[in-house]
């Protein structure tokens, strides 16, 4: 949420015409966070919509300075997931995959295998060899997701995080069967 507010400040400083739609987009994000994500589980499609709204706000800030590819394969309306579980990986990609990175690219792939009920969520982003984006709150998003996965999906998930050759990769698999 703080990253989104920083984006709005940047738009306000530029006196951008994109500020009004960004505020509307922010209200949609807040509605999801406050009213829909308090349920135990949400439709995966709602989580994907939230991610897309977040990306839209980020693109208002970064424009053509960052290339984002998002690919959703499978029916996201058939499955539920614990809310706010995937977004920290996308936030992390924008936080650490932009700025000091030349030609930043963020790739997001979500696939669902309806035969095995397996959801796979992959995020790839370029990173600078000198990560200067660290601050006092860095690192808590992913560690919180790791704890949540252990509690909410014990023995039903696999998470691999790799930072090699200036590419940060998150590969999360969750069995979404009840």
């Amino acid at each position: 949420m703080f990253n989104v507010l920083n984006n709005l400040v940047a738009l306000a400083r530029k006196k951008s015409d994109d500020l009004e739609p960004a505020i509307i987009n922010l209200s949609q994000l807040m509605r999801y966070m406050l009213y829909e994500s308090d349920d135990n589980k949400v439709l995966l499609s709602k989580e994907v919509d939230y991610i897309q709204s977040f990306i839209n706000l980020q693109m208002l800030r970064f424009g053509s300075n960052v290339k984002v590819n998002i690919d959703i394969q499978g029916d996201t309306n058939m499955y539920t997931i614990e809310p706010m579980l995937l977004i920290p990986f996308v936030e992390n990609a924008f936080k650490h995959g932009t700025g000091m990175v030349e030609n930043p690219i963020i790739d997001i792939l979500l696939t669902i295998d309806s035969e095995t009920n397996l959801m796979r969520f992959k995020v790839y982003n370029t990173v600078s060899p000198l990560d200067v984006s660290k601050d006092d709150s860095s690192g808590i998003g992913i560690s919180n997701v790791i704890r949540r996965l252990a509690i909410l999906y014990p023995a039903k998930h696999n998470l691999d995080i790799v930072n090699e050759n200036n590419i940060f990769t998150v590969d999360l698999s969750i069995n979404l069967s009840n």
Side-chain angles (χ1 to χ4, degrees):
M1 186 54 66
F2 291 114
N3 292 337
V4 171
L5 291 172
N6 285 337
N7 292 346
L8 295 178
V9 168
L11 291 174
R13 285 184 182 150
K14 293 179 187 177
K15 299 189 184 328
S16 172
D17 291 338
D18 292 328
L19 182 58
E20 183 179 346
I23 291 171
I24 292 168
N25 209 343
L26 174 61
S27 72
Q28 292 169 336
L29 292 177
M30 292 177 69
R31 185 174 296 111
Y32 177 76
M33 289 173 55
L34 295 173
Y35 300 118
E36 296 181 38
S37 69
D38 63 350
D39 296 332
N40 287 340
K41 290 190 177 183
V42 296
L43 280 175
L44 182 56
S45 59
K46 294 279 189 181
E47 190 80 354
V48 169
D49 289 345
Y50 180 83
I51 290 169
Q52 188 61 60
S53 293
F54 177 81
I55 291 170
N56 292 344
L57 281 172
Q58 294 296 321
M59 295 312 292
L60 287 174
R61 178 179 178 198
F62 292 108
S64 61
N65 294 330
V66 62
K67 182 171 173 51
V68 178
N69 304 304
I70 184 164
D71 186 10
I72 310 297
Q73 300 174 9
D75 189 352
T76 58
N77 286 308
M78 287 182 49
Y79 296 95
T80 59
I81 190 169
E82 294 293 332
M84 308 298 290
L85 197 61
L86 305 177
I87 192 66
F89 300 119
V90 178
E91 290 174 339
N92 190 64
F94 276 95
K95 181 174 183 178
H96 300 285
T98 58
M100 298 298 291
V101 177
E102 200 171 315
N103 303 315
I105 298 172
I106 299 171
D107 290 323
I108 300 167
L109 173 63
L110 186 140
T111 59
I112 300 164
D113 184 334
S114 59
E115 291 182 22
T116 62
N117 298 315
L118 189 68
M119 179 208 70
R120 194 146 184 211
F121 185 68
K122 296 182 182 181
V123 180
Y124 306 90
N125 61 278
T126 50
V127 292
S128 170
L130 307 169
D131 188 359
V132 296
S133 61
K134 297 280 185 197
D135 57 34
D136 291 341
S137 64
S138 286
I140 62 171
I142 290 182
S143 60
N144 283 342
V145 172
I146 291 169
R147 282 193 295 271
R148 287 184 68 207
L149 285 167
I151 294 167
L152 300 169
Y153 295 98
K156 293 181 90 176
H157 79 280
N158 184 57
L159 176 62
D160 291 317
I161 299 174
V162 178
N163 187 358
E164 268 183 3
N165 301 322
N166 301 332
I167 303 287
F168 192 87
T169 304
V170 171
D171 188 351
L172 172 64
S173 299
I174 300 176
N175 184 325
L176 296 177
S177 61
N178 294 330

